[in-house]
């Protein structure tokens, strides 16, 4: 880019890696210079403009907001109950709408080959066919960037602490499911409007209500 860019906002998370040149950025953090070695992180719907000092070359990654929240959910699955919790959690912890991360040229240099490959996949429209490679590149880049992202400590109010409940373990046993559990699920799906009782459902799969409760919970 050689010319100024007016304030623009996108409904996604933006990661801007500065490769060459310098510019003055205008955003929530005010007016700040960026140069090679810097990474700009913008939250969704955050205005940002720039005025290059001569020229600037960047690579920009546009990440769907729900996709980023889903990753936050699995990263913090030990303390989050569901994706609704994850949305509130990310809004509290990543409260800065715009950040300039000073990684340094050495660390950003580590990412250049990955960025070039992502750009090539994007230009060729290969994100769907090369989905897993795209994911691998994204995770490699975020592995370098994430330690520099500023976070805010999440503080619970006394009321929130009183209402909190333990999160079920996220570990997966990857064991075969009992046939009775599968049959119970199928019965529920096939007749959603039926007012099932535990005893009636247990009789359908030939178990006692107590056994069905245990088998179904385990599954």
């Amino acid at each position: 880019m050689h010319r100024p860019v007016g304030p623009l906002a996108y409904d996604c998370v933006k990661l801007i890696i500065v490769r060459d040149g310098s510019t003055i950025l205008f955003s929530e953090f005010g007016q700040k210079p960026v140069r090679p070695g810097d990474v700009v992180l913008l939250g969704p719907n955050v205005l940002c403009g720039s005025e290059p000092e001569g020229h600037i070359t960047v690579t920009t990654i546009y990440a769907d907001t729900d996709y980023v929240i889903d990753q936050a959910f699995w990263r913090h699955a030990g303390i989050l109950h569901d994706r609704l919790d994850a949305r509130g959690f990310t809004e509290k912890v990543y409260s800065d709408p715009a950040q300039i991360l000073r990684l340094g040229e050495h660390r950003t240099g580590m990412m250049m080959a990955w960025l070039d490959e992502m750009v090539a996949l994007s230009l060729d429209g290969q994100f769907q066919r090369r989905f897993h490679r795209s994911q691998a590149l994204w995770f490699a880049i975020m592995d370098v960037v994430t330690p520099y992202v500023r976070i805010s400590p999440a503080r619970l109010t006394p009321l929130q602490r009183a209402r909190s409940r333990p999160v079920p373990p996220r570990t997966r046993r990857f064991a075969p499911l009992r046939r009775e559990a599968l049959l119970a699920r199928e019965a529920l799906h096939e007749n959603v409007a039926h007012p099932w009782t535990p005893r009636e459902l247990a009789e359908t799969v030939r178990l006692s209500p107590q056994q069905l409760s245990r088998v179904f919970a385990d599954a």
Side-chain angles (χ1 to χ4, degrees):
M1 296 182 292
H2 297 272
R3 299 177 181 177
V5 176
L8 296 172
Y10 291 81
D11 185 20
C12 63
V13 175
K14 285 181 65 178
L15 197 69
I16 306 169
I17 298 91
V18 181
R19 305 180 67 131
D20 187 43
S22 61
T23 190
I24 303 296
L25 277 190
F26 307 89
S27 190
E28 298 281 346
F29 43 62
Q31 175 179 324
K32 290 189 178 181
V34 294
R35 58 189 67 86
D38 293 341
V39 174
V40 183
L41 177 62
L42 300 175
N45 305 310
V46 173
L47 286 168
C48 185
S50 65
E51 188 171 323
E53 297 174 315
H55 78 280
I56 187 171
T57 303
V58 302
T59 297
T60 304
I61 299 174
Y62 301 83
D64 180 86
T65 307
D66 288 336
Y67 171 75
V68 175
I69 291 173
D70 196 57
Q71 290 181 15
F73 168 70
W74 285 110
R75 183 182 179 193
H76 302 284
I79 60 173
L80 299 176
H81 289 89
D82 51 37
R83 285 163 176 79
L84 188 61
D85 270 0
R87 181 174 291 276
F89 177 81
T90 53
E91 288 173 355
K92 288 180 181 178
V93 172
Y94 302 104
S95 57
D96 286 348
Q99 299 185 33
I100 297 177
L101 316 177
R102 310 290 187 183
L103 271 68
E105 293 190 56
H106 173 69
R107 285 186 175 83
T108 55
M110 294 167 53
M111 301 188 292
M112 292 307 165
W114 304 329
L115 292 168
D116 289 342
E117 190 174 351
M118 287 192 83
V119 170
L121 290 172
S122 180
L123 291 174
D124 295 339
Q126 296 295 311
F127 273 144
Q128 187 172 5
R129 190 175 70 84
R130 300 293 309 282
F131 172 78
H132 293 101
R133 181 56 185 165
S134 302
Q135 299 298 292
L137 293 168
W138 164 256
F139 284 123
I141 291 166
M142 291 310 295
D143 187 54
V144 176
V145 172
T146 300
Y148 292 85
V149 178
R150 292 189 299 277
I151 62 173
S152 305
R155 298 181 179 87
L156 294 178
T157 66
L159 182 61
Q160 287 174 321
R161 282 196 295 271
R163 290 180 175 177
S164 65
R165 60 193 190 280
V167 178
R170 304 288 179 184
T171 54
R172 300 292 191 260
R173 292 176 302 157
F174 298 108
L177 296 178
R178 285 278 297 268
R179 181 172 178 272
E180 293 86 351
L182 296 174
L183 290 174
R185 183 184 66 178
E186 289 174 7
L188 291 169
H189 282 191
E190 290 173 2
N191 199 347
V192 177
H194 183 74
W196 291 99
T197 65
R199 179 170 296 280
E200 185 181 9
L201 191 60
E203 290 173 353
T204 302
V205 299
R206 292 180 169 81
L207 289 176
S208 70
Q210 292 79 13
Q211 283 179 306
L212 176 62
S213 178
R214 177 177 53 78
V215 167
F216 202 76
D218 286 345

